[in-house]
Amino acid sequence: MVDLKGQYNGIKDQVDHSVLDVLDSTAYINGPRVHEFQKNLETYLDVKHVIPCANGTDALQIAMMGLGLQPGDEVITADFTFAATVEVIALLRLTPVLVDVDPVNFNIDIDAIKRAITPKTKAIVPVHLFGLCANMEAIMELADAHDLFVIEDNAQGIGASYTYSNGKKVKSGTIGHVASTSFFPSKNLGCYGDGGAIFTNDDDLAHTIRGIVNHGMYVRYHHDVVGVNSRLDSIQAAILDIKLKHLDTYNNKRRESARKYNDHFNNHDNIVTPTGCNSCNALSDSCNCHVFHQYTIKVINVNRDALATHLNENGIPCGVYYPIPLHLQKAYVDDRYIESDFVVTNQLIKEVISLPMHTELDDEQINFITSTVINFVNNNS
Ligand SMILES: *Cc1c(COP(=O)(O)O)cnc(C)c1O
């Protein structure tokens, strides 16, 4: 699904040099490399504060702690996503409220959010799923109207742009009150271990969060709030700082591969391919709305699992993200959920399949993957 080795080979000299420098410096934790990466990411995103931390799940949890959310507060998020999002809500004894998603772009459905808002609702967590921003303009309007916080889960969307209806363009993760991201190796900006970060334009919130990541300390050995220990180490920061310089090139390569996939599938009756945002509805580098953390198609009237088996038998990796809706996961079942509220998610889990997507895909691979998919679909639909 990813080719981390091929990507590493392209930047090996820089990375090796940078890592050896850290080893030599012995500044393994909170060293200057962490600060440099933080500053460079702030500039890249055009956001006032980046607070590095240990992973993307921590980043979500710390963002919610920083906002002061309290047990019983309701937090609305998507039913169709990775479990980390709902996990931290539950861990903090907040009340997760899962809602359905949009059938075309797979992101949280705005009308479903509207229906789920109650007097107890305190926050919305849109996930920029597979690398395309959720409808942030509508979400921020709703949040303003109901006095809610918005926490962007940007683990899959780093580097993506979001275009407002007035044409204004910003980077994903800089729109809500706070955002989280993950530097897990297979993410679009991945390190060689675990890592994550929180972004915000709010000075006070940034200050609060900087203490939370460090045991609630604002002055050494004075613990003002309950915190956690969540750090990005210097070796990972040194690697990330090099990869950040390549992020736009990497994301452009992903988008180029997505365009090629789409061209091969060429509006096949049984294959629904991904599109861009409402502003461009295409996968253009100039819009940069989709950074293709995953390239995910829907197969219609085809046995998706049989297709997955067939691809694996032909040496093609593939993935089903995600096979089970969160509202049906044992840890998160809740009497309040009714199946008719999850029509889209319940359908998507049967139809989606993600194909290899990374920075090193070549035409031969894409030709082989798409012809194998198309042959199977033609013979089995
Ligand atoms: C990967 C991911 C996370 C968690 O990140 P980790 O660094 O693995 O903790 C959270 N949310 C989404 C949507 C993700 O894809």
Side-chain angles (χ1 to χ4, degrees):
M1 289 296 277
V2 295
D3 181 1
L4 295 177
K5 181 78 184 183
Q7 194 189 58
Y8 170 59
N9 285 339
I11 52 172
K12 185 176 178 349
D13 287 348
Q14 295 161 278
V15 169
D16 292 1
H17 182 79
S18 211
V19 168
L20 288 174
D21 267 358
V22 175
L23 295 185
D24 219 36
S25 76
T26 71
Y28 305 133
I29 298 283
N30 287 337
R33 293 300 270 144
V34 178
H35 194 67
E36 283 164 38
F37 168 62
Q38 173 201 319
K39 288 287 159 205
N40 288 333
L41 187 55
E42 284 167 357
T43 305
Y44 173 83
L45 294 168
D46 194 17
V47 71
K48 278 172 94 177
H49 305 280
V50 166
I51 302 121
C53 67
N55 58 68
T57 310
D58 273 9
L60 274 168
Q61 177 183 329
I62 293 159
M64 289 179 203
M65 290 169 75
L67 291 171
L69 300 182
Q70 295 298 319
D73 287 351
E74 293 180 4
V75 180
I76 298 173
T77 193
D79 190 34
F80 186 65
T81 181
F82 182 57
T85 326
V86 67
E87 179 179 55
V88 300
I89 297 171
L91 202 62
L92 293 173
R93 299 274 173 247
L94 313 175
T95 304
V97 178
L98 296 165
V99 301
D100 212 0
V101 297
D102 181 277
V104 176
N105 62 31
F106 310 142
N107 277 319
I108 194 163
D109 182 80
I110 303 303
D111 289 325
I113 299 176
K114 282 185 193 157
R115 286 193 296 271
I117 292 174
T118 75
K120 286 188 179 168
T121 308
K122 286 284 152 42
I124 307 170
V125 188
V127 181
H128 303 319
L129 202 74
F130 303 151
L132 178 69
C133 264
N135 184 348
M136 289 305 294
E137 195 161 0
I139 291 169
M140 295 311 291
E141 269 172 28
L142 266 181
D144 281 348
H146 296 271
D147 205 14
L148 309 175
F149 292 119
V150 174
I151 304 157
E152 290 174 75
D153 183 343
N154 198 30
Q156 302 188 3
I158 198 156
S161 295
Y162 179 76
T163 309
Y164 287 86
S165 48
N166 66 7
K168 186 182 163 208
K169 213 165 159 170
V170 296
K171 283 276 195 283
S172 65
T174 66
I175 305 162
H177 300 91
V178 60
S180 63
T181 200
S182 163
F183 304 125
F184 185 79
S186 64
K187 299 284 156 91
N188 290 38
L189 179 60
C191 57
Y192 297 166
D194 271 310
I198 302 137
F199 321 146
T200 185
N201 282 309
D202 180 328
D203 297 339
D204 292 338
L205 181 59
H207 174 75
T208 304
I209 287 175
R210 287 210 176 88
I212 291 175
V213 298
N214 189 26
H215 302 290
M217 279 198 290
Y218 298 90
V219 175
R220 207 169 167 81
Y221 299 125
H222 293 250
H223 303 273
D224 294 357
V225 295
V226 176
V228 295
N229 171 21
S230 189
R231 294 185 282 240
L232 180 71
D233 70 73
S234 305
I235 292 179
Q236 302 309 333
I239 295 162
L240 286 165
D241 207 26
I242 288 164
K243 291 186 72 178
L244 177 61
K245 295 185 181 69
H246 299 273
L247 180 59
D248 285 342
T249 312
Y250 288 159
N251 282 339
N252 286 344
K253 273 231 64 178
R254 287 172 177 270
R255 201 159 34 240
E256 187 186 336
S257 294
R259 283 194 295 263
K260 288 178 182 167
Y261 270 130
N262 278 8
D263 286 347
H264 280 281
F265 290 131
N266 191 23
N267 300 321
H268 191 291
D269 283 345
N270 302 89
I271 301 172
V272 182
T273 54
T275 59
C277 66
N278 290 338
S279 326
C280 77
N281 213 15
L283 311 180
S284 68
D285 286 348
S286 61
C287 187
N288 186 40
C289 55
H290 204 322
V291 293
F292 287 96
H293 175 60
Q294 297 293 348
Y295 178 84
T296 304
I297 56 173
K298 291 195 284 184
V299 287
I300 311 296
N301 296 325
V302 174
N303 181 334
R304 189 270 322 274
D305 292 336
L307 169 62
T309 305
H310 179 76
L311 292 179
N312 287 330
E313 281 167 4
N314 283 275
I316 299 171
C318 61
V320 173
Y321 309 115
Y322 295 90
I324 305 172
L326 291 178
H327 80 275
L328 294 178
Q329 296 283 0
K330 266 192 204 153
Y332 306 112
V333 290
D334 190 313
D335 291 344
R336 290 168 310 155
Y337 296 136
I338 45 176
E339 285 311 305
S340 56
D341 282 341
F342 301 101
V343 174
V344 177
T345 302
N346 286 340
Q347 188 68 19
L348 287 179
I349 54 143
K350 292 182 221 150
E351 293 177 345
V352 290
I353 184 162
S354 302
L355 302 177
M357 173 50 77
H358 50 82
T359 56
E360 313 302 311
L361 273 176
D362 61 33
D363 288 352
E364 200 187 327
Q365 290 169 326
I366 292 176
N367 290 346
F368 178 63
I369 294 165
T370 51
S371 60
T372 310
V373 171
I374 291 168
N375 282 338
F376 181 90
V377 169
N378 286 347
N379 294 325
N380 296 277
S381 57

